[in-house]
Amino acid sequence: MSIKIGILGYGNLGRGVEAAIKKNDDMELAAVYTRRAPETLKINSNAAVKSVSDLESGNEDIDVLIICGGSATDLPEMTPKFAAMYNVIDSFDTHANIPVHFANVDKAAKAAGKIGIISCGWDPGMFSINRLYSTCVLPDGKDYTFWGKGVSQGHSDAVRRIDGVLDCRQYTIPVPAALDKVRNGEDPYSPPARSTRESASL
C-alpha cells in the first residue's frame, strides 16, 4: 500500500518533491494544491490539481501533506494551520525562528493527534544531519558551511515579496579569503564574512 502524498505549492520546491515521489515506489502523488486557479496549473504527473481551499475541509484523502511554501510568510501560517488537519512536513529554514515555529506546529499537531515535521530542507535538514554525524566522530572538530556560487531560493523569495519587485534572483557567493582561512586551519567566523550576496531584480 502506497503513502498518499499531497503537495501544497508548485514552485521549484513543489516540482522537486513531485520528481522525488516518482523515485519512490512506496509513495504516490495524490494531489497538488495551489493558490492559483487549478485549471491554469500544468504539472508533471497525472495527479489531481486542486485549490488550497479544498484542504480546509480536513477531509482530503492524503496521508502526508508536504508544504512547499516560503519560510518568510507562508510556512509560519500554513504549517500550524494544516497540522491541525493532516500529517505535515515543511522545510522552514529561518534558523532564528525555528523554536517559535516548532512550538506552533507542535501545539497544533498534538491537539489533532497528527505528526508535524519541520525544517526538512538542505539546512536545516540534510546538512544538519551531516554535521551531527561529523561531530559525533570528530567531537573536537569545527564545521563550516559555505554556500555557492548559486541561487538562494529563500533570499530570492524574500526580495520578490517587496512591493515593486517583479522578479529577483539572489546569489550567494563564498568569500575566497574565508575559504583560505578554513584550508589553513584558521577560524573563518572572524572577519571577513564567509559569503556575500548579489541580486538581479526587475
Side-chain angles (χ1 to χ4, degrees), residues 62-115:
I62 55 175
D63 298 310
V64 180
L65 178 65
I66 301 179
I67 305 177
C68 300
S71 295
T73 58
D74 295 334
L75 299 181
E77 176 188 335
M78 290 177 168
T79 308
K81 175 180 180 177
F82 291 114
M85 307 174 204
Y86 306 96
N87 299 314
V88 297
I89 298 173
D90 78 15
S91 60
F92 185 79
D93 69 353
T94 306
H95 294 238
N97 295 340
I98 286 175
V100 171
H101 186 59
F102 172 83
N104 292 338
V105 176
D106 186 56
K107 181 179 178 182
K110 280 180 176 173
K114 301 296 183 182
I115 296 171

Side-chain angles (χ1 to χ4, degrees), residues 130-141:
N130 288 338
R131 283 193 290 269
L132 173 63
Y133 285 154
S134 297
T135 52
C136 288
V137 176
L138 301 168
D140 294 324

Side-chain angles (χ1 to χ4, degrees), residues 175-195:
V175 172
L179 286 168
D180 290 341
K181 279 195 167 193
V182 171
R183 292 173 178 141
N184 292 333
E186 302 172 46
D187 182 3
Y189 283 109
S190 58
R194 286 182 295 151
S195 62

